[in-house]
Amino acid sequence: MGADAIQTNGHDQTKLTGGEEIQRLRCFVKNYEWGKLGPDSLVARLQEANTGQRVDPEIPHAEFWMGTHESGPSHVEFGSGHGGSDKCMVTLKSWVLDNPNLLGSKVVDKWGCDLPFLFKVLSVTKALSIQAHPNKALAEKLHREDPLLYRDNNHKPEIALAVTPFEALCGFVPLKELKEVITNVPEITELVGSKAADQIFNVHEHDEDERVKSVVRLIFTQLMSASNNETKQVISRMKNRLILETKHRELSEKEKLVLELEKQYTGDIGVISAFFFNYVKLNPGEALYLDANEPHAYISGDCVECMAASDNVVRAGLTPKHRDVQTLCSMLTYKLGYPEILKGFPLTPYVTRYLPPFDEFEVDHCDLPRGKSTVFPAVPGPSVYLVSEGKGQLGTGSSKFLVNRGDVLFVPADNEVHVTGESDVMKLYRAGVSSRFFQTL
Protein backbone atom coordinates (compact mmCIF):
# COMPACT_ATOMS: atom_id res chain seq x y z
CA MET A 1 0.00 0.00 0.00
CA GLY A 2 1.41 3.42 -0.91
CA ALA A 3 2.53 5.96 1.62
CA ASP A 4 0.14 8.82 2.36
CA ALA A 5 0.85 12.11 4.14
CA ILE A 6 -0.65 12.90 7.52
CA GLN A 7 -0.45 16.08 9.56
CA THR A 8 1.35 15.84 12.89
CA ASN A 9 3.24 18.30 15.04
CA GLY A 10 2.21 21.09 12.68
CA HIS A 11 3.92 19.66 9.62
CA ASP A 12 3.51 16.78 7.22
CA GLN A 13 4.69 13.39 8.35
CA THR A 14 4.31 10.09 6.63
CA LYS A 15 2.22 7.10 7.48
CA LEU A 16 4.26 4.35 5.90
CA THR A 17 1.64 1.62 5.56
CA GLY A 18 -2.10 1.23 5.98
CA GLY A 19 -4.24 0.08 8.87
CA GLU A 20 -6.14 1.81 11.65
CA GLU A 21 -4.71 0.00 14.67
CA ILE A 22 -2.77 3.00 15.97
CA GLN A 23 -4.30 6.47 16.37
CA ARG A 24 -2.62 9.77 17.10
CA LEU A 25 -4.01 11.77 20.01
CA ARG A 26 -4.35 15.50 20.49
CA CYS A 27 -3.92 16.11 24.19
CA PHE A 28 -5.12 18.50 26.87
CA VAL A 29 -2.95 20.91 28.92
CA LYS A 30 -3.65 22.38 32.36
CA ASN A 31 -2.24 25.85 33.03
CA TYR A 32 -2.12 25.72 36.83
CA GLU A 33 -0.13 28.53 38.42
CA TRP A 34 2.52 26.15 39.82
CA GLY A 35 3.56 25.12 36.29
CA LYS A 36 6.79 26.13 34.56
CA LEU A 37 6.85 28.95 32.02
CA GLY A 38 7.73 28.83 28.34
CA PRO A 39 10.58 26.65 27.07
CA ASP A 40 11.55 25.69 30.65
CA SER A 41 8.34 23.63 30.77
CA LEU A 42 8.48 20.14 29.30
CA VAL A 43 4.68 20.33 29.18
CA ALA A 44 4.83 23.49 27.04
CA ARG A 45 7.34 21.91 24.65
CA LEU A 46 5.18 18.80 24.32
CA GLN A 47 2.01 20.82 23.76
CA GLU A 48 3.66 22.90 21.06
CA ALA A 49 4.87 19.76 19.31
CA ASN A 50 1.59 17.87 19.81
CA THR A 51 -0.65 20.62 18.44
CA GLY A 52 1.68 22.45 16.06
CA GLN A 53 0.66 25.72 17.71
CA ARG A 54 2.95 28.18 19.51
CA VAL A 55 2.44 28.42 23.26
CA ASP A 56 2.40 31.67 25.21
CA PRO A 57 5.74 31.86 27.10
CA GLU A 58 4.12 33.95 29.85
CA ILE A 59 1.53 31.31 30.75
CA PRO A 60 2.45 28.44 33.11
CA HIS A 61 2.15 25.00 31.53
CA ALA A 62 1.68 22.50 34.35
CA GLU A 63 0.09 19.22 33.19
CA PHE A 64 -0.17 17.40 29.85
CA TRP A 65 -3.08 14.91 30.00
CA MET A 66 -3.36 11.74 27.93
CA GLY A 67 -6.55 9.78 28.47
CA THR A 68 -10.32 9.81 28.61
CA HIS A 69 -11.04 11.72 31.84
CA GLU A 70 -13.68 14.40 31.29
CA SER A 71 -11.56 17.05 33.05
CA GLY A 72 -8.99 16.91 30.23
CA PRO A 73 -10.00 14.56 27.40
CA SER A 74 -7.69 13.53 24.59
CA HIS A 75 -9.02 13.52 21.03
CA VAL A 76 -8.47 11.11 18.16
CA GLU A 77 -7.73 12.84 14.86
CA PHE A 78 -8.97 11.24 11.65
CA GLY A 79 -8.44 12.36 8.08
CA SER A 80 -5.77 12.76 5.44
CA GLY A 81 -4.17 15.54 7.43
CA HIS A 82 -3.18 18.30 5.01
CA GLY A 83 -4.76 20.90 7.29
CA GLY A 84 -8.00 20.87 5.32
CA SER A 85 -11.62 20.20 6.16
CA ASP A 86 -11.21 16.47 5.64
CA LYS A 87 -9.99 16.13 9.22
CA CYS A 88 -12.32 15.30 12.07
CA MET A 89 -11.79 14.96 15.80
CA VAL A 90 -13.62 12.76 18.30
CA THR A 91 -12.83 12.26 21.96
CA LEU A 92 -10.84 9.17 22.80
CA LYS A 93 -13.58 8.27 25.27
CA SER A 94 -16.32 8.28 22.62
CA TRP A 95 -14.10 6.32 20.25
CA VAL A 96 -13.40 3.49 22.71
CA LEU A 97 -17.04 3.55 23.83
CA ASP A 98 -18.06 2.87 20.23
CA ASN A 99 -15.23 0.34 19.77
CA PRO A 100 -14.82 -1.58 23.05
CA ASN A 101 -12.77 -4.27 21.27
CA LEU A 102 -9.92 -1.73 21.27
CA LEU A 103 -9.64 -2.16 25.04
CA GLY A 104 -9.67 -5.95 25.15
CA SER A 105 -12.36 -8.09 26.78
CA LYS A 106 -10.56 -8.44 30.12
CA VAL A 107 -10.31 -4.68 30.54
CA VAL A 108 -13.95 -4.15 29.55
CA ASP A 109 -15.07 -6.86 31.99
CA LYS A 110 -13.19 -5.16 34.84
CA TRP A 111 -13.58 -1.43 34.12
CA GLY A 112 -16.21 -1.09 31.40
CA CYS A 113 -15.77 0.74 28.09
CA ASP A 114 -13.19 3.23 29.27
CA LEU A 115 -9.46 3.63 29.74
CA PRO A 116 -8.72 2.61 33.37
CA PHE A 117 -5.64 4.84 33.66
CA LEU A 118 -4.79 8.52 33.15
CA PHE A 119 -1.32 9.37 31.81
CA LYS A 120 0.28 12.79 32.42
CA VAL A 121 3.44 14.86 32.23
CA LEU A 122 4.00 17.45 34.99
CA SER A 123 6.32 20.49 34.95
CA VAL A 124 6.56 21.87 38.48
CA THR A 125 8.23 25.13 39.49
CA LYS A 126 6.20 25.88 42.66
CA ALA A 127 5.03 23.40 45.28
CA LEU A 128 1.70 21.68 44.73
CA SER A 129 -0.76 21.39 47.59
CA ILE A 130 -0.35 19.03 50.51
CA GLN A 131 -2.89 16.48 49.44
CA ALA A 132 -4.06 12.89 49.39
CA HIS A 133 -6.28 10.88 47.09
CA PRO A 134 -9.25 8.90 48.46
CA ASN A 135 -9.72 5.15 48.27
CA LYS A 136 -12.67 3.82 46.28
CA ALA A 137 -15.18 3.85 49.15
CA LEU A 138 -14.32 7.38 50.21
CA ALA A 139 -14.26 8.61 46.60
CA GLU A 140 -17.81 7.32 46.11
CA LYS A 141 -18.94 9.08 49.30
CA LEU A 142 -17.24 12.39 48.46
CA HIS A 143 -18.56 12.37 44.89
CA ARG A 144 -22.07 11.66 46.10
CA GLU A 145 -21.96 14.48 48.68
CA ASP A 146 -20.14 17.12 46.59
CA PRO A 147 -19.93 16.21 42.88
CA LEU A 148 -18.72 19.68 41.86
CA LEU A 149 -15.64 19.41 44.09
CA TYR A 150 -15.02 15.68 43.71
CA ARG A 151 -15.69 15.11 40.02
CA ASP A 152 -15.72 11.29 39.89
CA ASN A 153 -16.21 8.29 42.16
CA ASN A 154 -12.88 6.56 41.53
CA HIS A 155 -9.78 6.09 43.64
CA LYS A 156 -6.48 7.55 42.47
CA PRO A 157 -3.33 5.58 43.25
CA GLU A 158 -0.45 6.99 41.20
CA ILE A 159 3.20 6.82 40.21
CA ALA A 160 5.56 9.73 39.48
CA LEU A 161 8.60 8.90 37.33
CA ALA A 162 11.29 11.59 37.32
CA VAL A 163 12.31 12.97 33.91
CA THR A 164 14.55 15.63 35.49
CA PRO A 165 15.71 15.80 39.14
CA PHE A 166 12.39 15.80 40.98
CA GLU A 167 11.55 16.73 44.57
CA ALA A 168 8.50 15.85 46.65
CA LEU A 169 7.18 15.55 50.17
CA CYS A 170 5.71 12.11 50.73
CA GLY A 171 4.44 10.19 53.74
CA PHE A 172 5.20 10.76 57.42
CA VAL A 173 8.80 10.65 58.65
CA PRO A 174 9.87 7.76 60.95
CA LEU A 175 9.00 8.03 64.65
CA LYS A 176 12.54 8.88 65.72
CA GLU A 177 12.69 11.79 63.28
CA LEU A 178 9.24 12.97 64.27
CA LYS A 179 10.35 13.21 67.90
CA GLU A 180 13.32 15.31 66.75
CA VAL A 181 10.94 17.55 64.81
CA ILE A 182 8.76 18.20 67.86
CA THR A 183 11.89 18.91 69.92
CA ASN A 184 13.65 21.17 67.40
CA VAL A 185 10.66 23.04 65.96
CA PRO A 186 9.07 24.68 69.02
CA GLU A 187 6.54 26.48 66.84
CA ILE A 188 4.69 23.19 66.33
CA THR A 189 4.09 22.95 70.08
CA GLU A 190 2.92 26.58 70.06
CA LEU A 191 0.21 25.65 67.57
CA VAL A 192 -0.91 22.26 68.94
CA GLY A 193 -0.24 22.77 72.66
CA SER A 194 2.23 20.91 74.85
CA LYS A 195 -0.38 18.39 76.02
CA ALA A 196 -0.77 17.05 72.48
CA ALA A 197 2.84 17.52 71.35
CA ASP A 198 4.37 15.77 74.38
CA GLN A 199 2.40 12.59 73.65
CA ILE A 200 4.91 11.76 70.90
CA PHE A 201 7.50 11.09 73.61
CA ASN A 202 5.24 8.51 75.27
CA VAL A 203 5.19 6.18 72.24
CA HIS A 204 8.05 3.99 71.07
CA GLU A 205 9.10 1.93 68.05
CA HIS A 206 7.99 -1.33 69.68
CA ASP A 207 4.52 -0.04 70.60
CA GLU A 208 1.44 -1.23 68.77
CA ASP A 209 1.15 0.36 65.34
CA GLU A 210 -2.30 1.82 66.03
CA ARG A 211 -1.15 3.49 69.24
CA VAL A 212 1.65 5.29 67.42
CA LYS A 213 -0.65 6.27 64.56
CA SER A 214 -3.30 7.64 66.92
CA VAL A 215 -0.76 10.00 68.51
CA VAL A 216 0.52 11.20 65.13
CA ARG A 217 -3.09 11.66 63.96
CA LEU A 218 -3.87 13.78 67.04
CA ILE A 219 -0.85 16.07 66.66
CA PHE A 220 -1.17 16.47 62.89
CA THR A 221 -4.93 17.16 63.05
CA GLN A 222 -4.41 19.77 65.78
CA LEU A 223 -1.72 21.41 63.67
CA MET A 224 -3.71 21.51 60.43
CA SER A 225 -6.75 22.85 62.32
CA ALA A 226 -4.95 25.85 63.83
CA SER A 227 -6.53 29.26 63.19
CA ASN A 228 -5.24 31.32 60.27
CA ASN A 229 -4.19 34.28 62.41
CA GLU A 230 -2.26 32.19 64.89
CA THR A 231 -0.68 30.18 62.07
CA LYS A 232 0.59 33.30 60.29
CA GLN A 233 2.09 34.71 63.49
CA VAL A 234 3.80 31.47 64.47
CA ILE A 235 5.21 30.84 60.98
CA SER A 236 6.56 34.38 60.89
CA ARG A 237 8.38 33.75 64.18
CA MET A 238 9.69 30.43 62.87
CA LYS A 239 10.99 32.11 59.72
CA ASN A 240 12.78 34.79 61.75
CA ARG A 241 14.29 32.16 64.07
CA LEU A 242 15.65 30.10 61.16
CA ILE A 243 17.10 33.16 59.41
CA LEU A 244 18.81 34.16 62.67
CA GLU A 245 20.19 30.65 63.13
CA THR A 246 21.83 30.71 59.70
CA LYS A 247 24.42 33.04 61.25
CA HIS A 248 25.52 30.26 63.62
CA ARG A 249 24.93 26.99 61.75
CA GLU A 250 24.10 25.38 58.42
CA LEU A 251 20.38 24.80 58.16
CA SER A 252 19.17 21.28 57.37
CA GLU A 253 17.78 20.51 53.90
CA LYS A 254 14.28 20.37 55.37
CA GLU A 255 14.71 23.75 57.07
CA LYS A 256 15.92 25.29 53.80
CA LEU A 257 12.93 23.78 52.02
CA VAL A 258 10.54 25.20 54.64
CA LEU A 259 11.97 28.69 54.11
CA GLU A 260 11.49 28.29 50.35
CA LEU A 261 7.89 27.12 50.87
CA GLU A 262 7.30 30.15 53.12
CA LYS A 263 8.28 32.42 50.22
CA GLN A 264 5.80 30.63 47.96
CA TYR A 265 2.92 30.35 50.46
CA THR A 266 3.49 32.97 53.18
CA GLY A 267 1.74 32.13 56.43
CA ASP A 268 0.28 28.84 55.11
CA ILE A 269 -0.06 25.94 57.56
CA GLY A 270 1.46 23.70 54.90
CA VAL A 271 4.81 25.45 55.44
CA ILE A 272 5.27 24.16 58.97
CA SER A 273 3.52 20.84 58.35
CA ALA A 274 6.27 20.04 55.81
CA PHE A 275 8.43 19.03 58.79
CA PHE A 276 6.17 15.98 59.25
CA PHE A 277 6.85 14.55 55.78
CA ASN A 278 9.74 12.76 54.09
CA TYR A 279 11.68 15.03 51.75
CA VAL A 280 12.27 12.85 48.68
CA LYS A 281 14.71 13.69 45.88
CA LEU A 282 14.38 11.54 42.77
CA ASN A 283 17.04 11.23 40.11
CA PRO A 284 15.87 10.88 36.49
CA GLY A 285 14.64 7.32 36.02
CA GLU A 286 13.58 6.87 39.66
CA ALA A 287 9.90 6.67 40.59
CA LEU A 288 7.69 7.19 43.60
CA TYR A 289 4.33 5.46 43.94
CA LEU A 290 1.50 6.68 46.12
CA ASP A 291 -1.39 4.61 47.38
CA ALA A 292 -4.71 6.05 48.47
CA ASN A 293 -4.78 8.10 51.68
CA GLU A 294 -1.05 8.93 51.69
CA PRO A 295 -0.07 12.61 52.07
CA HIS A 296 2.23 14.17 49.50
CA ALA A 297 3.18 17.38 47.73
CA TYR A 298 5.31 17.68 44.61
CA ILE A 299 7.93 20.43 44.99
CA SER A 300 9.84 20.86 41.72
CA GLY A 301 10.95 19.20 38.48
CA ASP A 302 9.46 17.38 35.50
CA CYS A 303 7.91 13.93 35.80
CA VAL A 304 5.76 11.43 33.96
CA GLU A 305 2.76 10.50 36.07
CA CYS A 306 0.25 7.69 35.73
CA MET A 307 -2.76 6.96 37.89
CA ALA A 308 -6.16 5.34 38.00
CA ALA A 309 -8.55 7.42 35.90
CA SER A 310 -9.57 9.98 38.51
CA ASP A 311 -9.13 13.67 39.32
CA ASN A 312 -10.07 13.45 43.01
CA VAL A 313 -7.80 15.47 45.31
CA VAL A 314 -8.31 16.28 49.00
CA ARG A 315 -6.20 19.34 49.90
CA ALA A 316 -5.20 20.90 53.20
CA GLY A 317 -2.19 23.19 52.71
CA LEU A 318 0.09 25.04 50.26
CA THR A 319 -2.82 26.00 48.05
CA PRO A 320 -5.22 28.82 47.26
CA LYS A 321 -7.81 26.19 46.30
CA HIS A 322 -10.53 24.71 48.49
CA ARG A 323 -9.24 22.94 51.60
CA ASP A 324 -10.97 20.00 53.23
CA VAL A 325 -8.83 19.73 56.35
CA GLN A 326 -11.06 17.43 58.36
CA THR A 327 -11.52 14.99 55.49
CA LEU A 328 -7.78 14.89 54.82
CA CYS A 329 -6.82 14.41 58.47
CA SER A 330 -9.38 11.66 58.97
CA MET A 331 -8.56 9.74 55.78
CA LEU A 332 -4.75 9.44 56.11
CA THR A 333 -3.17 6.11 57.05
CA TYR A 334 -0.51 7.74 59.29
CA LYS A 335 1.94 5.10 58.23
CA LEU A 336 5.45 6.21 59.24
CA GLY A 337 8.67 5.66 57.32
CA TYR A 338 10.48 6.48 54.10
CA PRO A 339 8.60 5.58 50.88
CA GLU A 340 9.80 2.90 48.49
CA ILE A 341 11.67 4.28 45.47
CA LEU A 342 11.21 2.27 42.27
CA LYS A 343 14.17 2.05 39.90
CA GLY A 344 12.33 -0.21 37.46
CA PHE A 345 13.55 -3.45 35.92
CA PRO A 346 14.79 -4.11 32.36
CA LEU A 347 12.39 -5.58 29.80
CA THR A 348 14.91 -5.24 26.97
CA PRO A 349 18.31 -3.51 26.75
CA TYR A 350 16.43 -0.28 25.98
CA VAL A 351 13.19 -0.56 27.97
CA THR A 352 12.68 -0.24 31.75
CA ARG A 353 9.37 -1.16 33.39
CA TYR A 354 7.90 0.40 36.53
CA LEU A 355 5.28 -1.84 38.11
CA PRO A 356 3.56 -0.39 41.18
CA PRO A 357 1.14 -2.61 43.14
CA PHE A 358 -2.01 -1.38 41.36
CA ASP A 359 -4.14 -3.12 38.71
CA GLU A 360 -4.90 -0.09 36.57
CA PHE A 361 -1.46 0.82 35.26
CA GLU A 362 2.24 0.28 34.66
CA VAL A 363 4.76 2.55 32.96
CA ASP A 364 7.60 1.69 30.55
CA HIS A 365 10.49 4.04 29.71
CA CYS A 366 12.45 3.54 26.48
CA ASP A 367 15.77 5.19 25.53
CA LEU A 368 16.57 4.19 21.97
CA PRO A 369 19.80 5.22 20.18
CA ARG A 370 19.90 5.93 16.46
CA GLY A 371 19.43 2.81 14.36
CA LYS A 372 18.50 0.57 17.30
CA SER A 373 15.16 -1.22 17.57
CA THR A 374 13.09 -2.74 20.33
CA VAL A 375 9.78 -4.57 20.63
CA PHE A 376 6.95 -4.05 23.12
CA PRO A 377 5.11 -7.39 23.38
CA ALA A 378 1.41 -7.59 22.62
CA VAL A 379 -0.73 -7.20 25.76
CA PRO A 380 -4.47 -7.89 26.29
CA GLY A 381 -5.15 -4.24 27.08
CA PRO A 382 -4.70 -0.76 25.56
CA SER A 383 -1.51 1.33 25.70
CA VAL A 384 -0.70 5.01 25.27
CA TYR A 385 2.76 5.95 23.94
CA LEU A 386 4.37 9.37 24.36
CA VAL A 387 7.48 10.43 22.43
CA SER A 388 9.16 12.94 24.75
CA GLU A 389 12.37 13.46 22.79
CA GLY A 390 13.88 12.64 19.39
CA LYS A 391 12.26 10.83 16.49
CA GLY A 392 11.86 7.38 15.01
CA GLN A 393 9.43 4.82 13.67
CA LEU A 394 6.68 3.15 15.69
CA GLY A 395 4.27 0.59 14.38
CA THR A 396 2.50 -2.74 14.47
CA GLY A 397 2.48 -5.37 11.78
CA SER A 398 0.11 -3.45 9.51
CA SER A 399 0.59 0.16 10.58
CA LYS A 400 3.79 2.17 10.87
CA PHE A 401 4.34 5.84 11.74
CA LEU A 402 7.19 8.29 11.71
CA VAL A 403 7.03 9.90 15.15
CA ASN A 404 8.58 12.99 16.73
CA ARG A 405 8.66 14.62 20.13
CA GLY A 406 5.13 15.43 21.24
CA ASP A 407 3.48 12.57 19.40
CA VAL A 408 1.02 10.59 21.51
CA LEU A 409 -0.36 7.34 20.12
CA PHE A 410 -3.15 5.06 21.27
CA VAL A 411 -2.42 1.38 20.62
CA PRO A 412 -5.35 -1.05 21.01
CA ALA A 413 -5.12 -4.38 22.82
CA ASP A 414 -3.22 -7.32 21.35
CA ASN A 415 -0.78 -5.32 19.21
CA GLU A 416 2.95 -5.98 19.24
CA VAL A 417 4.72 -2.64 18.82
CA HIS A 418 8.07 -2.20 17.05
CA VAL A 419 10.10 0.97 17.62
CA THR A 420 13.26 2.14 15.83
CA GLY A 421 15.27 5.22 16.79
CA GLU A 422 16.19 7.76 14.11
CA SER A 423 17.87 10.45 16.25
CA ASP A 424 20.81 10.42 18.64
CA VAL A 425 18.40 9.37 21.39
CA MET A 426 14.69 8.72 21.07
CA LYS A 427 12.88 8.79 24.42
CA LEU A 428 9.40 7.45 24.83
CA TYR A 429 7.08 6.40 27.62
CA ARG A 430 4.30 3.82 27.53
CA ALA A 431 1.37 3.56 29.94
CA GLY A 432 -0.75 0.43 29.99
CA VAL A 433 -2.85 -1.77 32.26
CA SER A 434 -0.67 -3.61 34.78
CA SER A 435 0.73 -6.86 33.46
CA ARG A 436 0.10 -8.28 36.95
CA PHE A 437 -3.63 -7.80 36.39
CA PHE A 438 -3.61 -10.08 33.36
CA GLN A 439 -1.39 -12.66 35.09
CA THR A 440 -3.83 -13.06 37.99
CA LEU A 441 -6.89 -13.74 35.81
Side-chain angles (χ1 to χ4, degrees), residues 106-149:
K106 294 174 182 176
V107 170
V108 172
D109 290 346
K110 173 73 173 180
W111 292 288
C113 296
D114 204 356
L115 208 61
F117 58 85
L118 175 59
F119 200 21
K120 297 182 184 180
V121 178
L122 273 61
S123 290
V124 182
T125 194
K126 180 181 178 181
L128 279 68
S129 59
I130 291 173
Q131 59 184 255
H133 307 300
N135 61 24
K136 192 74 168 74
L138 180 58
E140 290 172 351
K141 177 177 180 290
L142 294 173
H143 178 65
R144 186 169 59 249
E145 294 175 352
D146 194 344
L148 293 178
L149 183 60

Side-chain angles (χ1 to χ4, degrees), residues 46-356:
L46 291 174
Q47 183 190 22
E48 197 164 88
N50 183 259
T51 63
Q53 299 173 350
R54 297 295 300 273
V55 300
D56 187 335
E58 301 303 315
I59 294 177
H61 288 74
E63 296 188 353
F64 185 83
W65 286 36
M66 299 163 279
T68 57
H69 197 280
E70 63 181 11
S71 294
S74 297
H75 286 76
V76 181
E77 184 180 80
F78 299 98
S80 65
H82 296 284
S85 59
D86 51 353
K87 277 184 167 185
C88 68
M89 303 269 277
V90 300
T91 65
L92 177 60
K93 181 159 187 168
S94 65
W95 189 51
V96 298
L97 192 62
D98 290 341
N99 300 276
N101 58 299
L102 301 170
L103 301 173
S105 60
K106 294 174 182 176
V107 170
V108 172
D109 290 346
K110 173 73 173 180
W111 292 288
C113 296
D114 204 356
L115 208 61
F117 58 85
L118 175 59
F119 200 21
K120 297 182 184 180
V121 178
L122 273 61
S123 290
V124 182
T125 194
K126 180 181 178 181
L128 279 68
S129 59
I130 291 173
Q131 59 184 255
H133 307 300
N135 61 24
K136 192 74 168 74
L138 180 58
E140 290 172 351
K141 177 177 180 290
L142 294 173
H143 178 65
R144 186 169 59 249
E145 294 175 352
D146 194 344
L148 293 178
L149 183 60
Y150 300 105
R151 301 288 297 275
D152 58 72
N153 63 359
N154 202 14
H155 66 163
K156 192 187 175 187
E158 63 189 26
I159 185 173
L161 170 57
V163 177
T164 65
F166 193 80
E167 297 185 3
L169 294 169
C170 179
F172 288 95
V173 298
L175 181 59
K176 180 184 176 185
E177 186 176 337
L178 193 50
K179 290 181 178 182
E180 293 171 356
V181 165
I182 300 299
T183 300
N184 297 328
V185 188
E187 293 82 8
I188 292 174
T189 301
E190 285 188 59
L191 286 172
V192 306
S194 57
K195 182 178 179 182
D198 289 349
Q199 288 195 39
I200 199 69
F201 303 108
N202 297 325
V203 293
H204 307 283
E205 301 281 358
H206 60 266
D207 288 346
E208 286 185 13
D209 202 31
E210 286 307 313
R211 181 162 183 256
V212 176
K213 288 180 178 180
S214 68
V215 171
V216 179
R217 180 185 295 110
L218 169 68
I219 298 171
F220 185 72
T221 302
Q222 295 270 83
L223 179 70
M224 300 304 289
S225 304
S227 71
N228 286 338
N229 286 340
E230 187 180 13
T231 297
K232 289 176 181 177
Q233 293 172 16
V234 169
I235 289 177
S236 179
R237 290 197 292 272
M238 179 189 69
K239 170 189 167 185
N240 293 336
R241 173 179 65 81
L242 290 175
I243 291 172
L244 190 63
E245 289 185 13
T246 60
K247 299 176 181 179
H248 310 291
R249 67 179 179 89
E250 176 82 10
L251 295 185
S252 70
E253 286 195 333
K254 181 73 73 68
E255 288 171 329
K256 292 176 183 176
L257 171 64
V258 164
L259 286 178
E260 180 59 32
L261 294 176
E262 198 280 333
K263 292 178 186 175
Q264 297 178 8
Y265 298 96
T266 301
D268 192 295
I269 192 63
V271 172
I272 194 167
S273 69
F275 281 111
F276 281 69
F277 304 126
N278 297 291
Y279 184 17
V280 178
K281 294 184 176 183
L282 298 178
N283 296 313
E286 294 180 333
L288 180 70
Y289 71 86
L290 300 156
D291 209 341
N293 303 331
E294 294 296 343
H296 59 281
Y298 296 155
I299 303 299
S300 65
D302 297 312
C303 77
V304 167
E305 192 181 38
C306 197
M307 63 209 67
S310 171
D311 195 29
N312 284 325
V313 183
V314 183
R315 301 178 181 88
L318 303 181
T319 181
K321 295 181 179 179
H322 174 81
R323 302 174 187 223
D324 196 343
V325 173
Q326 292 310 310
T327 297
L328 182 108
C329 291
S330 64
M331 71 190 275
L332 298 180
T333 66
Y334 294 96
K335 182 170 65 178
L336 306 186
Y338 200 77
E340 181 183 1
I341 305 301
L342 298 182
K343 296 182 183 292
F345 59 89
L347 277 187
T348 75
Y350 306 111
V351 179
T352 302
R353 171 159 293 173
Y354 299 83
L355 193 59

Side-chain angles (χ1 to χ4, degrees), residues 345-399:
F345 59 89
L347 277 187
T348 75
Y350 306 111
V351 179
T352 302
R353 171 159 293 173
Y354 299 83
L355 193 59
F358 314 121
D359 283 350
E360 287 89 346
F361 58 89
E362 64 188 16
V363 175
D364 295 336
H365 174 213
C366 176
D367 278 350
L368 206 54
R370 185 188 302 272
K372 300 297 183 180
S373 298
T374 195
V375 176
F376 291 84
V379 292
S383 298
V384 174
Y385 287 78
L386 163 69
V387 181
S388 64
E389 187 177 322
K391 63 181 181 179
Q393 293 185 25
L394 184 150
T396 62
S398 60
S399 182

